[in-house]
Amino acid sequence: MGDNGAGKTSLMQMILGLLKPTEGEIYINHKDNDPIDQSYLHNKSYIPQSFHCYPVSLIENITFEKDNPETHLCDRMEKYGSERLIPYRHEKYGLAYGGLELSGGQKQRISIIRGANKKADVILFDEPTSAIDPMQEGKIYDNILELIKGKTAIMISHRLALARYSDRIIVLKQGEIIEKGTHHELLREKGEYYKMWSKQAKLYH
């Protein structure tokens, strides 16, 4: 958690090996990840803030495979708020290619389904519901919590709804970690996290 520009996305991309730190080291399972072992990336699922769809069918956008069985795919589309797209799952994306055009929220749901479809032991989310309306967001959060059971999940979000379920919250400011702990521990400290929580809580009163 942290303000815009605090370094959250940069830190996540360094954990993935997509960015190199200018100083210091990053260790994964007590091993230096430079140079990163590509097999490490293959069993991780990354749902980025800048989601993107490609000029292929919606199914291929989710699975990246042409001949992929649709087992559980429609169920996942329904779980993550894309049930209206199920009849169009074989259509190509992109008006320029004579295909579908999707809203920002629909593309973000496809990105979440893409991440959920990959069998990964670690899932990283960068603002996964920033373009999704609040009514759908609650349902998607419930399904994200179900998805990450028994796995390691790292999530960046300005919205604090999921924070209280986290085992550890890390607060960044100007590229530095300034607080870490559980939801209740950080509220008791009355620091930066407490200020963010209080500010958002006021909006709902």
Side-chain angles (χ1 to χ4, degrees), residues 23-202:
E23 58 182 79
E25 298 84 31
I26 292 179
Y27 290 88
I28 308 294
N29 292 331
H30 308 290
K31 294 179 182 177
D32 193 342
N33 77 332
D34 187 19
I36 192 161
D37 178 1
Q38 289 301 310
S39 64
Y40 162 77
L41 288 176
H42 294 159
N43 66 344
K44 307 295 176 282
S45 183
Y46 177 41
I47 300 168
Q49 187 175 8
S50 53
F51 42 87
H52 186 69
C53 287
Y54 302 91
V56 293
S57 71
L58 291 185
I59 283 186
E60 289 173 81
N61 263 292
I62 293 168
T63 65
F64 292 106
E65 296 177 15
K66 276 190 174 182
D67 302 315
N68 190 282
E70 294 184 35
T71 310
H72 306 307
L73 189 60
C74 292
D75 177 55
R76 285 201 175 103
M77 291 180 78
E78 188 171 351
K79 270 188 174 183
Y80 295 100
S82 293
E83 59 273 10
R84 292 183 181 178
L85 295 176
I86 291 174
Y88 308 101
R89 61 191 182 277
H90 294 289
E91 292 195 24
K92 184 180 286 189
Y93 166 75
L95 283 178
Y97 303 94
L100 295 169
E101 187 56 60
L102 303 179
S103 69
Q106 286 174 321
K107 284 192 284 187
Q108 190 162 45
R109 290 187 192 97
I110 293 296
S111 179
I112 294 170
I113 298 163
R114 182 190 294 162
N117 191 60
K118 184 175 181 180
K119 293 180 180 178
D121 55 359
V122 177
I123 307 178
L124 300 98
F125 302 88
D126 189 349
E127 295 283 359
T129 60
S130 59
I132 295 171
D133 65 82
M135 295 295 288
Q136 286 286 335
E137 188 178 40
K139 176 184 176 183
I140 289 173
Y141 275 164
D142 288 342
N143 286 303
I144 284 176
L145 287 171
E146 182 184 335
L147 171 68
I148 63 178
K149 280 181 181 176
K151 300 179 180 182
T152 297
I154 302 174
M155 181 176 291
I156 294 171
S157 181
H158 284 103
R159 303 180 190 184
L160 305 182
L162 281 178
R164 54 186 161 180
Y165 298 107
S166 302
D167 297 305
R168 180 180 295 179
I169 299 164
I170 296 173
V171 183
L172 281 82
K173 191 169 188 176
Q174 296 180 350
E176 293 186 2
I177 294 172
I178 59 168
E179 294 176 351
K180 53 185 175 181
T182 66
H183 169 71
H184 295 293
E185 288 169 350
L186 294 181
L187 287 183
R188 283 197 297 269
E189 287 182 14
K190 295 196 172 181
E192 194 70 22
Y193 179 80
Y194 174 82
K195 290 177 187 176
M196 289 189 291
W197 179 267
S198 300
K199 191 179 292 184
Q200 286 200 20
K202 284 180 184 177

